[in-house]
Amino acid sequence: MSNLSLQKRQKLTLFLNQLREQHNDDESLIIINDLENELKNKKYGLVWEQYQERVDTELETQIPVFTECNEREIFSDENSGFNFLLEGDNLHSLYLLEKTHKERIDAIYIDPPYNTGNQDFVYDDKMVGKEDAFRHSKWISFMEKRLRIARGLLKPEGVIFISIDDNEYCALKMLCDEIFDDRNYQATITYVRKTSGKQDSSNFAKSTEYILVYSKTGLWQCNYLTAGERVTKRYNKVDAITNKAYREVDLRKTGTNDRREDRPNLYYPFYFNEKTQDLFCEAKPLEKVPEGYIEIYPIKADGTDGSWRWEVPTAQSQINLLTAHIMPKYKHLGKYTVYEKDFIDKKEEVRTVKEHTFWHRKEFNSDNAVTDFTSLGFNNKDFSFPKSVDLIKHILQLATHENALILDFFAGSGTTGQAAIELNKIDGGSRKVILCTNNENGLCERITHKRLSKVINGYSFAGKKETVLFEKKINMSDLKKMDKILKEVEELIANHKKDYDNLKKEFKEGLLKVIGVKNIEEAVEGIPSNFKYYKTDFVPRYPEENTVTETLMNHIKEMVQLEHGIKLDNKRYLLIMDDEEADEILSHVNVLSNIESLYIASSVLLTKAQLMLIKDSDVNCYVVPDYYFEQELREVGE
């Protein structure tokens, strides 16, 4: 079958070659070459009128940098690293993240403007309305730049989830097919956003929205192991004796009544020999710790005495199910705890049921999203169309593991940040998030930052708070083992009985749930976490005073902190930027005794004595990379 389009292009190309012979001046040749390039442009896929944004042109004369706002730092967990809230145009933030996080992000979730024509999409400081004949091209140009950078930030096994409605669904699908490759398309999830539908829609009351899912490569695996059951911890260890897969669950009690004074009988010592892996416990501390053993008590994250989940007789009878080692989160403190080996059911392991692409759950809808937002003390007019915290938590459970790094560069009111923090509390994870949002109408300062601060530090509230502790889709094969499932549910309820005022079972539309309910009269307790707040600033490419190098060096600290998720506090983390600082700091023999990591600019020349001091201190040492601003300095000739 003949390709008529190809034949037509060949005919036109022949004609252009004839024109070249007749018009060989420079101006004519440039025009002819442009015509040929347009002729050879792709003929299948998404085609649009390309636009240049103001933020693009700014990069021609200015270099974006981050400036830390110390007064907006949120800090409540001294044993954890930092999340980041980046204020400014997200294209500039992504431009800088390319330098610090290339192929380092595990998962991205974004909720971009839907381009409805109803005051929701601003392009070049102008609202794009329905009357704009090029509104779709402007939106695609806007998204294309950001998604291309986003793909480069993802790990090879990374994934991106994108919320959208039907105004730009088709354009977004074709754009993502091009950027991520249609072979990496995973799914279009349809979920019920508003049961009653949008009554202002013409002819139809639209009740659903979509979530597009793309992996970067074929390496991503959805974190869903068993039929309908949320499994947020992977069974990634194998028992040497039984050869069965298991996960480790901290034996320390968490939540309410987890203090030593609440249950004194649950505060007792374990004794562990790291060399032989021998572990035993006693109801009372031994007068003398056996040689080669360490004593382990249940200590809370704040350093106070806590309690174990098991009583002494249970721990002694089930000692073969217990192990001990240093907690990864507190590695720098050498802090040990005891873990329970939770073995996976082999029958469940082999019977994997995939996640459905249609979600109709009450906790995911817009009413629940507004309740999430207003319960924090905001007015529902402060931010339009927030997403449900439970919806984002569910996405993060599918997309990530417990130590994942998550990016949201349309962070809006900060729902993704709240979801990650709450999910860490539920499953003991240590996920970190990077949130990017503009400050239009004070959004980042008044809403995003304030919301995160409330979630972390606690906030006033009166009413009921519900937490889904368990959910499982029941199908025909599950009916044969309902006794086992119900036994698991009853055990879960027994374990959480003291953590909630009420625990209720719910079975609707084939979904079995256990929901913990807390009656709160005065305040919601905060969830420890840390956030740094950066603003996007600019350095002139051709300054009248100083050199570009001198000015950019003032923003290296922010880049180091962002890349490593830390705070350069001169206690645990130390930055040395020049030879004078090196001579002053490294002249003291014991200066590195409490330092965990040392960051040294590549331009610093260390003496042999200084090198030996660093080597003998056993401190992690990093060279501050030239690549932060190497390209910009080369462009301006420095």
Side-chain angles (χ1 to χ4, degrees):
M1 204 175 266
S2 299
N3 185 333
L4 299 179
S5 294
L6 176 61
Q7 292 175 4
K8 189 174 182 179
R9 287 197 298 274
Q10 288 173 342
K11 184 177 180 180
L12 291 172
T13 301
L14 184 61
F15 177 70
L16 289 176
N17 288 334
Q18 293 172 355
L19 286 178
R20 283 194 182 94
E21 293 176 2
Q22 299 169 14
H23 306 277
N24 55 14
D25 59 287
D26 290 345
E27 186 176 349
S28 296
L29 289 175
I30 289 172
I31 294 173
I32 292 170
N33 288 336
D34 286 343
L35 286 170
E36 186 173 22
N37 288 334
E38 286 297 315
L39 185 64
K40 291 180 178 179
N41 276 345
K42 64 178 181 178
K43 295 298 177 284
Y44 177 79
L46 190 61
V47 180
W48 71 95
E49 296 284 332
Q50 293 192 351
Y51 280 81
Q52 187 177 45
E53 296 177 62
R54 170 185 52 79
V55 292
D56 285 318
T57 57
E58 286 176 340
L59 296 178
E60 296 174 3
T61 58
Q62 301 181 96
I63 300 170
V65 293
F66 286 129
T67 298
E68 182 174 359
C69 300
N70 293 301
E71 69 278 8
R72 295 201 183 112
E73 180 183 290
I74 306 170
F75 183 77
S76 70
D77 187 355
E78 63 180 15
N79 297 312
S80 179
F82 277 81
N83 304 282
F84 288 82
L85 176 56
L86 311 178
E87 177 203 312
D89 190 285
N90 58 10
L91 187 61
H92 294 149
S93 294
L94 289 168
Y95 172 84
L96 289 165
L97 285 169
E98 278 189 296
K99 302 172 182 297
T100 59
H101 286 79
K102 186 177 181 180
E103 294 200 332
R104 289 184 56 194
I105 302 293
D106 293 286
I108 296 173
Y109 169 77
I110 55 172
D111 182 21
Y114 288 179
N115 199 20
T116 63
N118 295 320
Q119 310 290 307
D120 73 316
F121 176 43
V122 177
Y123 190 83
D124 265 2
D125 301 324
K126 295 179 182 178
M127 197 68 66
V128 178
K130 289 182 178 179
E131 71 286 348
D132 190 327
F134 296 99
R135 70 185 182 97
H136 295 292
S137 285
K138 290 178 179 178
W139 188 87
I140 296 167
S141 290
F142 173 82
M143 291 298 296
E144 190 261 350
K145 298 182 189 77
R146 290 156 175 80
L147 288 176
R148 287 201 183 278
I149 298 176
R151 184 186 182 280
L153 296 176
L154 283 173
K155 290 180 177 178
E157 62 272 23
V159 65
I160 184 169
F161 285 66
I162 310 173
S163 286
I164 200 69
D165 74 356
D166 47 13
N167 282 282
E168 295 290 1
Y169 168 77
C170 292
L172 181 62
K173 173 69 170 63
M174 294 188 75
L175 181 63
C176 288
D177 280 348
E178 182 176 304
I179 293 173
F180 293 96
D181 194 323
D182 58 359
R183 291 172 296 182
N184 293 317
Y185 168 70
Q186 298 292 322
T188 295
I189 297 165
T190 303
Y191 79 100
V192 177
R193 168 79 170 159
K194 191 173 182 66
T195 306
S196 61
K198 295 180 181 178
Q199 297 303 318
D200 59 348
S201 302
S202 59
N203 295 319
F204 293 92
K206 297 174 184 176
S207 59
T208 57
E209 290 185 3
Y210 313 104
I211 302 170
L212 272 169
V213 186
Y214 281 81
S215 59
K216 183 172 182 177
T217 66
L219 296 177
W220 177 70
Q221 292 293 316
C222 187
N223 192 25
Y224 231 76
L225 299 183
T226 62
E229 181 182 0
R230 294 188 304 176
V231 180
T232 56
K233 289 181 179 289
R234 293 177 178 170
Y235 293 75
N236 57 359
K237 297 181 182 295
V238 178
D239 185 73
I241 298 174
T242 65
N243 201 35
K244 289 184 177 180
Y246 69 92
R247 62 176 179 174
E248 291 183 344
V249 182
D250 201 326
L251 196 65
R252 293 178 302 163
K253 193 177 186 312
T254 58
T256 55
N257 300 313
D258 63 345
R259 301 173 301 171
R260 177 180 182 181
E261 51 265 39
D262 294 326
R263 295 289 298 275
N265 62 316
L266 295 180
Y267 182 84
Y268 54 87
F270 279 88
Y271 295 90
F272 177 60
N273 188 311
E274 189 173 32
K275 188 174 182 179
T276 65
Q277 294 293 298
D278 184 42
L279 179 72
F280 66 92
C281 69
E282 299 290 343
K284 294 181 180 179
L286 300 175
E287 290 186 6
K288 184 179 179 181
V289 177
E291 186 176 352
Y293 285 76
I294 59 170
E295 198 171 41
I296 305 173
Y297 281 97
I299 305 300
K300 289 161 58 68
D302 61 6
T304 59
D305 293 343
S307 59
W308 302 114
R309 292 186 284 109
W310 292 0
E311 295 182 350
V312 173
T314 303
Q316 290 176 334
S317 65
Q318 302 291 327
I319 198 70
N320 62 312
L321 294 180
L322 300 177
T323 185
H325 56 74
I326 294 176
M327 291 180 284
K329 191 175 179 180
Y330 303 103
K331 185 177 180 181
H332 60 285
L333 299 177
K335 193 173 180 180
Y336 281 78
T337 192
V338 176
Y339 294 90
E340 173 194 359
K341 293 181 180 180
D342 179 31
F343 290 92
I344 193 169
D345 186 323
K346 285 293 180 182
K347 293 179 182 178
E348 290 292 326
E349 184 183 24
V350 297
R351 192 178 60 81
T352 299
V353 176
K354 294 179 179 179
E355 173 75 2
H356 286 255
T357 57
F358 180 70
W359 297 350
H360 188 186
R361 302 187 190 177
K362 179 182 69 176
E363 61 267 29
F364 291 176
N365 67 29
S366 58
D367 291 337
N368 196 59
V370 171
T371 300
D372 290 338
F373 185 62
T374 56
S375 67
L376 289 158
F378 296 106
N379 188 297
N380 60 5
K381 294 181 180 179
D382 287 334
F383 185 82
S384 300
F385 311 117
K387 286 292 186 285
S388 158
V389 175
D390 284 325
L391 171 67
I392 307 305
K393 277 197 283 194
H394 190 66
I395 289 172
L396 297 184
Q397 286 175 315
L398 297 177
T400 69
H401 51 80
E402 307 98 307
N403 303 313
L405 181 58
I406 300 154
L407 171 65
D408 181 350
F409 53 90
F410 287 98
S413 68
T415 309
T416 302
Q418 179 176 349
I421 292 169
E422 290 187 0
L423 191 54
N424 283 340
K425 182 181 180 182
I426 291 171
D427 65 16
S430 56
R431 298 168 187 82
K432 290 289 181 287
V433 294
I434 299 173
L435 307 177
C436 313
T437 188
N438 61 46
N439 200 34
E440 184 182 337
N441 299 319
L443 171 63
C444 193
E445 295 178 15
R446 295 189 306 105
I447 307 297
T448 322
H449 178 262
K450 192 174 181 181
R451 179 179 193 164
L452 296 170
S453 182
K454 284 173 176 281
V455 172
I456 293 169
N457 296 318
Y459 55 96
S460 299
F461 178 80
K464 292 184 177 181
K465 282 282 184 182
E466 294 188 351
T467 303
V468 177
L469 302 172
F470 173 91
E471 67 178 23
K472 186 177 183 70
K473 188 77 173 177
I474 303 298
N475 52 36
M476 290 298 293
S477 61
D478 290 317
L479 296 177
K480 299 176 183 178
K481 55 174 186 177
M482 280 306 295
D483 289 344
K484 179 184 176 183
I485 293 172
L486 292 174
K487 183 181 177 182
E488 291 176 1
V489 168
E490 294 304 324
E491 288 177 356
L492 179 74
I493 290 174
N495 289 335
H496 287 278
K497 203 166 186 180
K498 293 186 178 181
D499 298 335
Y500 296 92
D501 297 302
N502 182 29
L503 286 155
K504 59 182 183 180
K505 289 178 285 186
E506 182 181 279
F507 186 70
K508 289 181 181 179
E509 299 178 355
L511 196 65
L512 176 63
K513 292 183 182 180
V514 176
I515 301 171
V517 182
K518 274 190 177 184
N519 299 320
I520 302 170
E521 296 181 359
E522 295 181 357
V524 173
E525 185 180 351
I527 305 172
S529 192
N530 306 319
F531 264 90
K532 282 196 168 293
Y533 189 113
Y534 285 0
K535 269 188 175 182
T536 302
D537 272 339
F538 296 94
V539 170
R541 285 184 181 270
Y542 305 100
E544 295 180 2
E545 298 180 5
N546 301 326
T547 64
V548 176
T549 303
E550 287 176 302
T551 312
L552 288 177
M553 290 305 103
N554 294 328
H555 299 275
I556 288 295
K557 178 180 178 181
E558 283 86 350
M559 300 296 279
V560 172
Q561 291 180 152
L562 178 61
E563 179 169 4
H564 296 274
I566 60 165
K567 177 179 182 176
L568 290 166
D569 55 5
N570 295 327
K571 296 177 182 177
R572 286 171 57 189
Y573 305 103
L574 182 63
L575 173 66
I576 295 177
M577 288 299 297
D578 56 47
D579 293 345
E580 290 183 4
E581 277 189 354
D583 292 340
E584 181 181 350
I585 293 170
L586 299 178
S587 62
H588 306 287
V589 176
N590 297 322
V591 70
L592 300 179
S593 58
N594 296 316
I595 296 292
E596 182 177 336
S597 297
L598 179 64
Y599 302 87
I600 303 176
S602 59
S603 59
V604 174
L605 297 175
L606 297 174
T607 65
K608 287 185 179 180
Q610 291 169 343
L611 289 169
M612 287 301 298
L613 176 63
I614 294 171
K615 183 179 179 181
D616 294 342
S617 68
D618 199 30
V619 66
N620 297 317
C621 189
Y622 302 92
V623 176
V624 175
D626 292 329
Y627 59 69
Y628 282 155
F629 297 108
E630 184 178 26
Q631 180 181 339
E632 290 82 357
L633 292 176
R634 188 165 57 246
E635 288 172 353
V636 299
E638 291 187 18

